[in-house]
Each structure stands twice: as C-alpha cells, then as structure tokens.
Amino acid sequence: NAFNEGTILDAIYRNPAVVRWLYDDFARRNLPNGTQRSRTRVDSVDFDNAANDISAEQGLAYLRRHCSAGVDFAVFSAFYEFNQHVLKTNFYKPGITAMSFRLDPDFLSSAEYPDRPYGLFFVVGSEFRGFHVRFHDVARGGIRLVRSSYIQNYTQNLATLFDECYNLASTQQRKNKDIPEGGSKGIILLNLAHQDKGKVAFEQFVDSLLDLLLPSSHIRDHYQRSELLFLGPDEGTADFMDWASLHAR
C-alpha cells in the first residue's frame, strides 16, 4: 500500500517546506473570515494576494517542482485534493474534542464508488478516526464502533475503514428504498492503544459532528446549507444513544 502511515510520514519529514505550503493553502481556504494568518509567497505566485481559489494547475505545478521524490508528489497531491474538497471544518474552533471535516464527495472515483454520496464527514480524534456517509439529504442509519484485537486486525480495519462505511451506507440506502429517508452509516475505529475508550470516542465523534451542523463564527462555511444527521444505534453504540440525544439538545 503506497499510502500507509509510514510512507506518508516519510514524505512529510522529507518535505517540510511543502507541508508548510499545504497548511497555508488549507488556512487560506478555511480560516474564519477576519482571522489574520501568516503570508506565504511561492516562486512568482503570491498566494496571499491571489484570487480566493487558485487554480488546481498552479498548486499541482508547485508540488511537482518541490517534491523530492515521485511518491511524495502522490502523497501531497492527495493532501492538496483534500484541501480543495473541504466544505467546512472545526479545525479553528476553540475547545474542540476532535477534528471534523465536511467534504465534497466529488473527489471520489466513480469507478470505485459508482453511487455518489450526498454527504461525507471525516472525523479524527486522539483515540479514534471515523466517517459518516449519507446518500440523501434526509437519511437514517446507525453508528458502528469498531474494535481491533491485534495489530494486523487494526491495520486491515484502518485500510478498509472508508470502504466499509460507504458500503454499509449504500446497503442501508437500498434497505430504505420504500421509505422517504435515504440510507446513511457512521463508523468509528478505535486506535489500537485505546480499545477501552469506546464511549469517549463516540461522544467526541458526535460532538465534532455537531460543530459542523450548528452555526459558528469560528467556522468558514463553503457549503452554505443547513444539514441534519439522524444517528441510530449499531454495533457497540446502542448504550450511548441516549447521551447523544440529550447532548444534541
């Protein structure tokens, strides 16, 4: 797997200037309006004074010139594509429990994911990482908690985490074909060292999703539409749903 964690970390360590540029690109897109940021100038392109959305070609050209190895360009072009598809994030909100990103699903390959999701959320916490996928604006489905008993099991769960979430949401979508609501699914994968933190991870997952569903001056909203998520019980989370309902009030 060319994109395992070791390969990505090696690329980051080899290219600190590229990482700084990618973070500045992320900040330019997502810092709340009125927030000051540091200025970055790359070659002849002044990204601080450029139009709000520089062309993808400019960004990729910079990466090609400055990446020290071919695999590094593959890694960082994925980072850059991620930046381009973030619709909103709680990254700059004070006091967050986990980082959450509402993504535009258009980056997904139609060959690998033939049915385009309506909404996609990516959540990362100190004890877990997870996704929420839905196929209609109004959709219902459960939140599944995934534990791993040994490192090979965790590595496999991590490698297939998004595919599992997508496939389960797609299955729920087909199950719901005769009712008005579409299908959705959320998955939370506990980090290997935090297999006993299921409730903590669930609460942080829900809390960070709420960060993106509720109005906030600390979040720059490129989506500009209100959203509701209907979360139900699934494997490992049935005992946590009462807390989620009360917290969402």
Side-chain angles (χ1 to χ4, degrees):
N1 184 353
F3 288 91
N4 61 46
E5 288 187 357
T7 301
I8 294 169
L9 282 173
D10 287 344
I12 289 171
Y13 292 143
R14 280 193 296 266
N15 300 274
V18 174
V19 173
R20 286 193 296 270
W21 180 84
L22 284 164
Y23 173 74
D24 194 71
D25 177 68
F26 177 87
R28 180 183 57 79
R29 298 170 188 273
N30 295 296
L31 264 175
N33 293 327
T35 305
Q36 295 296 314
R37 67 181 181 88
S38 60
R39 176 177 174 142
T40 294
R41 188 179 182 93
V42 180
D43 295 347
S44 61
V45 181
D46 185 343
F47 288 104
D48 195 57
N49 292 328
N52 189 49
D53 289 312
I54 64 171
S55 70
E57 290 75 17
Q58 283 180 303
L60 291 173
Y62 168 77
L63 294 176
R64 287 192 185 93
R65 288 196 304 273
H66 291 83
C67 287
S68 58
V71 68
D72 297 352
F73 173 75
V75 169
F76 291 128
S77 60
F79 281 23
Y80 184 57
E81 187 171 27
F82 174 85
N83 283 359
Q84 292 177 301
H85 289 85
V86 174
L87 295 175
K88 50 185 171 178
T89 176
N90 70 348
F91 188 86
Y92 296 103
K93 184 179 180 182
I96 63 173
T97 59
M99 292 184 294
S100 55
F101 306 87
R102 185 6 172 132
L103 300 174
D104 180 348
D106 282 350
F107 72 91
L108 293 174
S109 164
S110 59
E112 295 181 66
Y113 307 100
D115 298 321
R116 184 64 46 83
Y118 183 93
L120 168 57
F121 291 84
F122 174 44
V123 184
V124 182
S126 57
E127 292 88 7
F128 73 97
R129 65 195 68 189
F131 291 95
H132 186 273
V133 173
R134 77 187 197 277
F135 280 93
H136 276 264
D137 185 13
V138 179
R140 65 171 63 185
I143 306 297
R144 179 169 296 188
L145 186 66
V146 178
R147 290 183 168 89
S148 310
S149 54
Y150 49 89
I151 188 157
Q152 292 87 352
N153 183 217
Y154 173 75
T155 301
Q156 177 65 20
N157 288 337
L158 180 61
T160 59
L161 184 62
F162 177 73
D163 285 353
E164 181 76 2
C165 188
Y166 174 91
N167 290 332
L168 288 170
S170 180
T171 299
Q172 191 67 46
Q173 170 72 8
R174 291 192 292 274
K175 288 180 179 178
N176 291 3
K177 64 182 177 62
D178 296 323
I179 62 175
E181 296 90 353
S184 68
K185 185 66 69 172
I187 287 193
I188 302 167
L189 173 65
L190 293 173
N191 293 343
L192 194 58
H194 297 289
Q195 295 297 297
D196 60 338
K197 298 291 182 63
K199 189 171 189 296
V200 171
F202 176 83
E203 290 178 359
Q204 293 179 354
F205 182 83
V206 170
D207 195 54
S208 62
L209 288 177
L210 287 170
D211 286 341
L212 301 185
L213 300 179
L214 300 173
S216 172
S217 60
H218 298 288
I219 293 175
R220 190 168 173 182
D221 186 359
H222 299 287
Y223 190 56
Q224 294 293 311
R225 279 172 277 178
S226 61
E227 293 187 278
L228 288 174
L229 299 183
F230 296 90
L231 311 181
D234 206 301
E235 295 177 13
T237 64
D239 294 336
F240 306 153
M241 300 313 297
D242 286 346
W243 175 89
S245 298
L246 291 171
H247 187 61
R249 288 183 178 179

